[in-house]
Amino acid sequence: MADIRHGITVAALALLLPCAAAAGPAGAEGADALQRLVHQDCGSCHGLQLKGGLGPELTTEALQHYDREVLVSVILNGVPDTPMPPWRPLLSQEDAARIADYLLSGEMK
Ligand code: HEC
């Protein structure tokens, strides 16, 4: 069962890859591109406004109980046995940290 789910997660990730690659010539490093990635790619599950969908709400209010480091690790490693994929293949540690800061503060730096 876990294997099948893993297969689905990998397939979902493969579908998302072209989107992430198309985020802009500057790559995922530009603040605009990274912000777009959060709303489009994360938003495909968490809602374009991050207010929840298949995945839970990711608003600043909803994530206040999260430690920054835990949030970075959830983004990089995903949540096993759920549709939340690991973003390590697509995002650097630095990008994941910037996304975590963005989610916690509402400001992309
Ligand atoms: C394929 C769908 C999908 C995509 C794409 C996705 N997520 Fe998730 N995410 C989920 C699901 C489902 C959960 C809930 C997992 C669980 O049951 O604990 C989740 C959980 C989370 C959580 C924990 C939230 C909480 O309240 O515990 C965070 C943080 C998160 N995702 C961030 C992100 C970020 C940032 C991205 C984009 C880089 C992203 N997710 C992309 C499906 C997705």
Side-chain angles (χ1 to χ4, degrees), residues 34 71-72 75-76 91-101:
L34 208 54
L71 206 53
V72 174
I75 295 168
L76 286 176
L91 294 173
S92 65
Q93 171 95 28
E94 190 198 336
D95 283 347
R98 287 170 67 200
I99 290 174
D101 285 339

Side-chain angles (χ1 to χ4, degrees), residues 41-42 45-46 55-56 58 66 71 74-75 79 82-85 87 99:
D41 293 344
C42 312
C45 286
H46 291 277
L58 295 181
Y66 261 102
L71 206 53
V74 168
I75 295 168
V79 182
T82 79
M84 173 62 188
W87 289 83
I99 290 174

